[in-house]
Amino acid sequence: MREVEKWGIFELSVKGPEEGNPFTEQTIEGEFAGKWESVHTVGFYDGDGVYKIRFMPSFTGEYAYKVQTSFGGPVRGGFCVTEPGEGNHGPVRVKNRFHFAYEDGTPYLCLGTTCYVWDLQSDERIAETLTSLAHSAFNKIRFCILPKHYDFNLGEPRSYPFEGTPMDSSVLTRDNFLEYGNCSPGNSWDFARFNPEHFRHIEYCIRELGKLGIEADLIVMHPYDRWGFSRMSEEEDDRYWNYVLARFSAFRNVWWSLANEYDLMRSKTIKDWERFAALICKGDPYGRLRSIHNCIPFYDYSRPWVTHCSIQRQDLYKTSEMVGEWRERYGKPVVLDEIAYEGNIPHGWGNISGEEMVRRFWEAVCRGGYPGHGETYWNEEGVLWWSHGGTLHGESHKRFQFLMDIWKEAPGDGLMPCGDFWSEVCAVPEASLTDSVRAKDYYLIYYSFMQPVFKEYHIDDETGYRLSVIDTWNMTIEERGVVSGKFRVQLPGRPYMAIRLEKVNI
Amino acid sequence: MREVEKWGIFELSVKGPEEGNPFTEQTIEGEFAGKWESVHTVGFYDGDGVYKIRFMPSFTGEYAYKVQTSFGGPVRGGFCVTEPGEGNHGPVRVKNRFHFAYEDGTPYLCLGTTCYVWDLQSDERIAETLTSLAHSAFNKIRFCILPKHYDFNLGEPRSYPFEGTPMDSSVLTRDNFLEYGNCSPGNSWDFARFNPEHFRHIEYCIRELGKLGIEADLIVMHPYDRWGFSRMSEEEDDRYWNYVLARFSAFRNVWWSLANEYDLMRSKTIKDWERFAALICKGDPYGRLRSIHNCIPFYDYSRPWVTHCSIQRQDLYKTSEMVGEWRERYGKPVVLDEIAYEGNIPHGWGNISGEEMVRRFWEAVCRGGYPGHGETYWNEEGVLWWSHGGTLHGESHKRFQFLMDIWKEAPGDGLMPCGDFWSEVCAVPEASLTDSVRAKDYYLIYYSFMQPVFKEYHIDDETGYRLSVIDTWNMTIEERGVVSGKFRVQLPGRPYMAIRLEKVNI
């Protein structure tokens, strides 16, 4: 009997017809049942007469399946689900309303980056990106399934999702690219025939990310288009969505981002997005995380299918600083998938310093949110992390493991903002469903751009706290012994400092 | 015949009774008339049997006066008003809705600082402050008439405004000072008897500031009090206001700030503030600039007596950035009298860096506002510029003359924000009442914390612009020749850069 580990993928291939259009004329679907679950899933045509169906089991033990196709009799069989392997904690779920955890209970502190089309670059660049990620603190990456047409990213992708031929890109320049809208002449696509190689390659990328413990936040649609992929018909859109769902749903590290900057996709309406959301809820039987990313107006994150906010910077100055308000408004995890990019390109969203990026990260974390990174340093080669992946050139990414180490040591299910502080940002443990962790157990106080030479506190008269002074930029932690009652903390009078108070159990 | 220069002060002293309470029992008032104006003003008792009345003439030529007292016959006479002396441009007025100019038409670009009670320090400290101001770019200073009781400022003032004795201040510490409210026992004051020496000394300060070309933004009331001066009765308040008006109105460099943090003065209501405003409008016949400063909620700056907004920082992050919205809301000059203080004390409003202060200044200026400075560097002597004056220790003040020089060279009646720019701040000349200056004549574009390595612009196809690249922190201006049509500006990829485009007249 075949074996598959819990939260791994059981995949079945069936030979079938190649003639006609297998994508539209044939179907494959199946039932997968163990003692604790029974799941119906849909498969897909993978080219060359091969039909595939995938299933992710959530329990150990014996499973049976029955797969039915439009072209032959049912296929039955069974497999055994073993304990998850090392590093396999299952899919990420929302935990305690504002936070995340892997399905095995391991906390997941989301610290993402964005490389929109790293997956559509050369093998060498992809390997370089994976190496960069392996040496980083990132545990999520946002990227696109469809190729991207945008400033600094005007070349051809390694492959296209449909059969056909693209317009001639040699006419494009930084000055004229905006004129090439998403229905330029010269494109010739058959939206009813997918290019399986394109999707197989993205599965490779998802798997490689999985090996590194990184979640794949898949951007399924986006407006940066010269090929017409953002202007397909309802029928074409739905077929694309169902193909994506059939292929990628079973990967435990997949998240769904319906779109990047959905509001820039002029030919789609809220009705369309809600229809896609319904397709996900049907086509992804595992309930993977779902959101949608804005340019200017937020999508209504209170919609029931939205599992978490996926927020872009709201103005030049304040975004991380708004996390508390957004937590209250939506009652869901607040993921800041874009708080501007560290870099130096002309675009206002793409030229903040490393210091400012790290500041925004700490501001977000200390308010109970989850910040995301990106990098846009201009270079002669035109390889920008934000779009192509490759190598990190900035300063902020070097400081995230330090932040992560401190973050991980905090007690409870994540952090939340403490409203009792007037002019500093203070994180305390999230309001817990149990009594094991209390707000007064732990304080992480961040001074942002402020540079006090001392601060004074008075938590209460009884509790003793281990005091640490943290330099978030220079990455030092200075232990200052135990304090209690009214106490003063001497500080160096530099920006980007923080202190930590950990309750001493006596 | 006595001579006085235009916008100078004609002062008349009259001997009168010392017995009883001259402050409440006697009056002195007068008519001052020249060819172009006739002004009624009220005088005051200056102690030692001396009654005084002052008048500021606004026109040259011969004036006659008739002064009447409650204790003797009318005093008549005349004087001759000569042309203003060097550096005397008259009082500052609102010009073109959002800006200021001296009465002789010279533009006044308001660049202020705050030293709350520099005037109530020792002679040596006052001299030191005046020297600091003389070497600065500041042309306005906010300070209090009444002594101040607040953190880092717990000592005795050089004098008190009333006859009587203060509570014993030796009991005060940084830890307990807040417990000493504004009606602590141990104070013994006769609010019906002013201490003329206290007010004479403030006049000395106003005059010395005048010699330096600095406006005296007088804070008449404030909540930082342990003596009860913030909790007087209506009658006592009004008597104080009228005394202040009678003494200080004639000084051309006086501005009225009804209060600092009016909203913290719990015993005063909006009705009280409006009553004080009415007293000013009556008791100051010269129509000096009038405003009132908030802690949290703004006063209603749309009130007709308010000549300009006097704004305190609204949150930790954004204040200068709001200037455009406040201009639209109130239709008056937006003066940011507190955008936090450069320094390193524990209070969140008092520990921003010099870089951040200069950034806030440029943000405000490029949005058509008027930023204000202050400094709170902690030191062993406990002398903080913000409260005591003295010597400047920071970095921001060194960069204001550079800003002022650039600001002064801009055409028109001041700057206004240009909404056509997406991710940078851009100033253009204020919408003018004449055709002599047009928006497209001049652009001052500020990149704030952003660090682009280049930017591209296209104003139009015809106009030529002289391009300057400005490093606002390092204070360099690099001329880059004339540009037109679509052009690219190479930049150093550092924060705090700006560019200037000046139309070339061909």
Side-chain angles (χ1 to χ4, degrees), chain A residues 450-453 493, chain B residues 341-345 350-354 374-378:
Chain A
M450 290 165 279
Q451 47 176 21
V453 280
Chain B
Y341 296 95
E342 180 185 347
N344 58 15
I345 59 171
N351 52 30
I352 66 169
S353 66
E375 228 183 58
T376 45
Y377 279 103
W378 188 87

PDB file of all heavy atoms in Angstrom, chain A residues 450-453 493, chain B residues 341-345 350-354 374-378:
ATOM      1  N   MET A 450      11.675  57.927  18.115  1.00  0.00           N
ATOM      2  CA  MET A 450      11.937  58.750  19.299  1.00  0.00           C
ATOM      3  C   MET A 450      13.254  58.340  19.953  1.00  0.00           C
ATOM      4  O   MET A 450      13.718  57.230  19.772  1.00  0.00           O
ATOM      5  CB  MET A 450      10.752  58.637  20.253  1.00  0.00           C
ATOM      6  CG  MET A 450       9.510  59.337  19.693  1.00  0.00           C
ATOM      7  SD  MET A 450       7.982  58.895  20.547  1.00  0.00           S
ATOM      8  CE  MET A 450       7.604  57.322  19.775  1.00  0.00           C
ATOM      9  N   GLN A 451      13.848  59.254  20.694  1.00  0.00           N
ATOM     10  CA  GLN A 451      15.194  58.990  21.205  1.00  0.00           C
ATOM     11  C   GLN A 451      15.348  59.448  22.655  1.00  0.00           C
ATOM     12  O   GLN A 451      16.250  60.233  22.967  1.00  0.00           O
ATOM     13  CB  GLN A 451      16.240  59.666  20.305  1.00  0.00           C
ATOM     14  CG  GLN A 451      15.913  61.111  19.955  1.00  0.00           C
ATOM     15  CD  GLN A 451      16.991  61.808  19.157  1.00  0.00           C
ATOM     16  OE1 GLN A 451      17.839  61.193  18.498  1.00  0.00           O
ATOM     17  NE2 GLN A 451      16.994  63.122  19.222  1.00  0.00           N
ATOM     18  N   PRO A 452      14.509  58.937  23.536  1.00  0.00           N
ATOM     19  CA  PRO A 452      14.619  59.345  24.938  1.00  0.00           C
ATOM     20  C   PRO A 452      15.924  58.864  25.570  1.00  0.00           C
ATOM     21  O   PRO A 452      16.434  57.806  25.215  1.00  0.00           O
ATOM     22  CB  PRO A 452      13.415  58.660  25.595  1.00  0.00           C
ATOM     23  CG  PRO A 452      13.135  57.479  24.727  1.00  0.00           C
ATOM     24  CD  PRO A 452      13.452  57.938  23.327  1.00  0.00           C
ATOM     25  N   VAL A 453      16.447  59.652  26.534  1.00  0.00           N
ATOM     26  CA  VAL A 453      17.614  59.185  27.298  1.00  0.00           C
ATOM     27  C   VAL A 453      17.205  58.394  28.531  1.00  0.00           C
ATOM     28  O   VAL A 453      18.029  57.724  29.128  1.00  0.00           O
ATOM     29  CB  VAL A 453      18.565  60.334  27.717  1.00  0.00           C
ATOM     30  CG1 VAL A 453      19.459  60.724  26.556  1.00  0.00           C
ATOM     31  CG2 VAL A 453      17.813  61.523  28.266  1.00  0.00           C
ATOM     32  N   GLY A 493      19.510  57.413  23.945  1.00  0.00           N
ATOM     33  CA  GLY A 493      19.193  58.640  23.210  1.00  0.00           C
ATOM     34  C   GLY A 493      19.349  58.492  21.712  1.00  0.00           C
ATOM     35  O   GLY A 493      19.646  59.456  21.014  1.00  0.00           O
TER      36      GLY A 493
ATOM     37  N   TYR B 341       9.228  68.289  19.856  1.00  0.00           N
ATOM     38  CA  TYR B 341      10.485  68.988  20.127  1.00  0.00           C
ATOM     39  C   TYR B 341      11.667  68.081  19.822  1.00  0.00           C
ATOM     40  O   TYR B 341      11.652  66.902  20.166  1.00  0.00           O
ATOM     41  CB  TYR B 341      10.540  69.430  21.593  1.00  0.00           C
ATOM     42  CG  TYR B 341       9.473  70.446  21.933  1.00  0.00           C
ATOM     43  CD1 TYR B 341       8.263  70.054  22.493  1.00  0.00           C
ATOM     44  CD2 TYR B 341       9.667  71.797  21.662  1.00  0.00           C
ATOM     45  CE1 TYR B 341       7.269  70.988  22.789  1.00  0.00           C
ATOM     46  CE2 TYR B 341       8.685  72.733  21.955  1.00  0.00           C
ATOM     47  CZ  TYR B 341       7.487  72.320  22.515  1.00  0.00           C
ATOM     48  OH  TYR B 341       6.510  73.236  22.789  1.00  0.00           O
ATOM     49  N   GLU B 342      12.667  68.665  19.220  1.00  0.00           N
ATOM     50  CA  GLU B 342      13.922  67.934  19.060  1.00  0.00           C
ATOM     51  C   GLU B 342      14.532  67.752  20.448  1.00  0.00           C
ATOM     52  O   GLU B 342      14.691  68.730  21.189  1.00  0.00           O
ATOM     53  CB  GLU B 342      14.905  68.717  18.169  1.00  0.00           C
ATOM     54  CG  GLU B 342      16.221  67.959  18.011  1.00  0.00           C
ATOM     55  CD  GLU B 342      17.295  68.726  17.253  1.00  0.00           C
ATOM     56  OE1 GLU B 342      16.987  69.751  16.617  1.00  0.00           O
ATOM     57  OE2 GLU B 342      18.471  68.273  17.310  1.00  0.00           O
ATOM     58  N   GLY B 343      14.856  66.533  20.789  1.00  0.00           N
ATOM     59  CA  GLY B 343      15.421  66.324  22.113  1.00  0.00           C
ATOM     60  C   GLY B 343      15.436  64.866  22.505  1.00  0.00           C
ATOM     61  O   GLY B 343      15.366  63.980  21.640  1.00  0.00           O
ATOM     62  N   ASN B 344      15.524  64.627  23.801  1.00  0.00           N
ATOM     63  CA  ASN B 344      15.682  63.251  24.262  1.00  0.00           C
ATOM     64  C   ASN B 344      15.073  63.002  25.635  1.00  0.00           C
ATOM     65  O   ASN B 344      15.507  62.101  26.341  1.00  0.00           O
ATOM     66  CB  ASN B 344      17.173  62.882  24.258  1.00  0.00           C
ATOM     67  CG  ASN B 344      17.986  63.814  25.144  1.00  0.00           C
ATOM     68  OD1 ASN B 344      17.434  64.545  25.960  1.00  0.00           O
ATOM     69  ND2 ASN B 344      19.293  63.778  24.999  1.00  0.00           N
ATOM     70  N   ILE B 345      14.068  63.807  25.989  1.00  0.00           N
ATOM     71  CA  ILE B 345      13.412  63.559  27.279  1.00  0.00           C
ATOM     72  C   ILE B 345      12.398  62.418  27.126  1.00  0.00           C
ATOM     73  O   ILE B 345      12.083  61.998  26.020  1.00  0.00           O
ATOM     74  CB  ILE B 345      12.757  64.851  27.838  1.00  0.00           C
ATOM     75  CG1 ILE B 345      11.704  65.418  26.878  1.00  0.00           C
ATOM     76  CG2 ILE B 345      13.831  65.891  28.142  1.00  0.00           C
ATOM     77  CD1 ILE B 345      10.883  66.562  27.477  1.00  0.00           C
ATOM     78  N   GLY B 350       8.702  65.120  23.128  1.00  0.00           N
ATOM     79  CA  GLY B 350       9.956  65.832  23.366  1.00  0.00           C
ATOM     80  C   GLY B 350      11.196  65.022  23.077  1.00  0.00           C
ATOM     81  O   GLY B 350      12.209  65.187  23.752  1.00  0.00           O
ATOM     82  N   ASN B 351      11.146  64.156  22.080  1.00  0.00           N
ATOM     83  CA  ASN B 351      12.350  63.357  21.835  1.00  0.00           C
ATOM     84  C   ASN B 351      12.518  62.931  20.384  1.00  0.00           C
ATOM     85  O   ASN B 351      12.980  61.829  20.117  1.00  0.00           O
ATOM     86  CB  ASN B 351      12.382  62.139  22.776  1.00  0.00           C
ATOM     87  CG  ASN B 351      11.093  61.333  22.726  1.00  0.00           C
ATOM     88  OD1 ASN B 351      10.432  61.304  21.690  1.00  0.00           O
ATOM     89  ND2 ASN B 351      10.765  60.654  23.801  1.00  0.00           N
ATOM     90  N   ILE B 352      12.210  63.840  19.472  1.00  0.00           N
ATOM     91  CA  ILE B 352      12.513  63.507  18.076  1.00  0.00           C
ATOM     92  C   ILE B 352      13.921  63.989  17.734  1.00  0.00           C
ATOM     93  O   ILE B 352      14.476  64.870  18.389  1.00  0.00           O
ATOM     94  CB  ILE B 352      11.469  64.066  17.078  1.00  0.00           C
ATOM     95  CG1 ILE B 352      11.462  65.589  17.012  1.00  0.00           C
ATOM     96  CG2 ILE B 352      10.082  63.517  17.390  1.00  0.00           C
ATOM     97  CD1 ILE B 352      10.630  66.160  15.861  1.00  0.00           C
ATOM     98  N   SER B 353      14.470  63.408  16.694  1.00  0.00           N
ATOM     99  CA  SER B 353      15.838  63.737  16.276  1.00  0.00           C
ATOM    100  C   SER B 353      15.847  65.036  15.476  1.00  0.00           C
ATOM    101  O   SER B 353      14.813  65.511  15.012  1.00  0.00           O
ATOM    102  CB  SER B 353      16.385  62.602  15.415  1.00  0.00           C
ATOM    103  OG  SER B 353      15.650  62.533  14.203  1.00  0.00           O
ATOM    104  N   GLY B 354      17.039  65.578  15.300  1.00  0.00           N
ATOM    105  CA  GLY B 354      17.186  66.760  14.456  1.00  0.00           C
ATOM    106  C   GLY B 354      16.742  66.483  13.032  1.00  0.00           C
ATOM    107  O   GLY B 354      16.086  67.316  12.395  1.00  0.00           O
ATOM    108  N   GLY B 374      11.304  73.671  18.632  1.00  0.00           N
ATOM    109  CA  GLY B 374      11.507  73.658  20.068  1.00  0.00           C
ATOM    110  C   GLY B 374      12.536  72.586  20.367  1.00  0.00           C
ATOM    111  O   GLY B 374      12.765  71.700  19.548  1.00  0.00           O
ATOM    112  N   GLU B 375      13.147  72.687  21.537  1.00  0.00           N
ATOM    113  CA  GLU B 375      14.240  71.770  21.857  1.00  0.00           C
ATOM    114  C   GLU B 375      14.146  71.312  23.295  1.00  0.00           C
ATOM    115  O   GLU B 375      13.981  72.130  24.196  1.00  0.00           O
ATOM    116  CB  GLU B 375      15.567  72.503  21.657  1.00  0.00           C
ATOM    117  CG  GLU B 375      16.566  71.728  20.877  1.00  0.00           C
ATOM    118  CD  GLU B 375      17.875  72.483  20.771  1.00  0.00           C
ATOM    119  OE1 GLU B 375      18.454  72.812  21.829  1.00  0.00           O
ATOM    120  OE2 GLU B 375      18.305  72.737  19.650  1.00  0.00           O
ATOM    121  N   THR B 376      14.280  70.012  23.488  1.00  0.00           N
ATOM    122  CA  THR B 376      14.181  69.436  24.836  1.00  0.00           C
ATOM    123  C   THR B 376      15.290  68.425  25.056  1.00  0.00           C
ATOM    124  O   THR B 376      15.023  67.240  25.251  1.00  0.00           O
ATOM    125  CB  THR B 376      12.818  68.731  25.032  1.00  0.00           C
ATOM    126  OG1 THR B 376      12.549  67.946  23.858  1.00  0.00           O
ATOM    127  CG2 THR B 376      11.695  69.719  25.249  1.00  0.00           C
ATOM    128  N   TYR B 377      16.532  68.895  24.996  1.00  0.00           N
ATOM    129  CA  TYR B 377      17.650  68.013  25.325  1.00  0.00           C
ATOM    130  C   TYR B 377      17.885  68.054  26.833  1.00  0.00           C
ATOM    131  O   TYR B 377      18.123  69.118  27.402  1.00  0.00           O
ATOM    132  CB  TYR B 377      18.916  68.426  24.564  1.00  0.00           C
ATOM    133  CG  TYR B 377      18.917  67.894  23.143  1.00  0.00           C
ATOM    134  CD1 TYR B 377      18.625  68.723  22.073  1.00  0.00           C
ATOM    135  CD2 TYR B 377      19.178  66.551  22.900  1.00  0.00           C
ATOM    136  CE1 TYR B 377      18.609  68.228  20.772  1.00  0.00           C
ATOM    137  CE2 TYR B 377      19.160  66.043  21.613  1.00  0.00           C
ATOM    138  CZ  TYR B 377      18.884  66.880  20.556  1.00  0.00           C
ATOM    139  OH  TYR B 377      18.852  66.394  19.288  1.00  0.00           O
ATOM    140  N   TRP B 378      17.834  66.899  27.429  1.00  0.00           N
ATOM    141  CA  TRP B 378      18.052  66.796  28.867  1.00  0.00           C
ATOM    142  C   TRP B 378      19.495  67.129  29.198  1.00  0.00           C
ATOM    143  O   TRP B 378      20.407  66.794  28.453  1.00  0.00           O
ATOM    144  CB  TRP B 378      17.735  65.362  29.314  1.00  0.00           C
ATOM    145  CG  TRP B 378      17.761  65.225  30.795  1.00  0.00           C
ATOM    146  CD1 TRP B 378      16.732  65.446  31.654  1.00  0.00           C
ATOM    147  CD2 TRP B 378      18.891  64.841  31.582  1.00  0.00           C
ATOM    148  NE1 TRP B 378      17.147  65.234  32.936  1.00  0.00           N
ATOM    149  CE2 TRP B 378      18.461  64.869  32.927  1.00  0.00           C
ATOM    150  CE3 TRP B 378      20.204  64.505  31.303  1.00  0.00           C
ATOM    151  CZ2 TRP B 378      19.319  64.549  33.982  1.00  0.00           C
ATOM    152  CZ3 TRP B 378      21.055  64.193  32.338  1.00  0.00           C
ATOM    153  CH2 TRP B 378      20.608  64.208  33.672  1.00  0.00           C
TER     154      TRP B 378
END
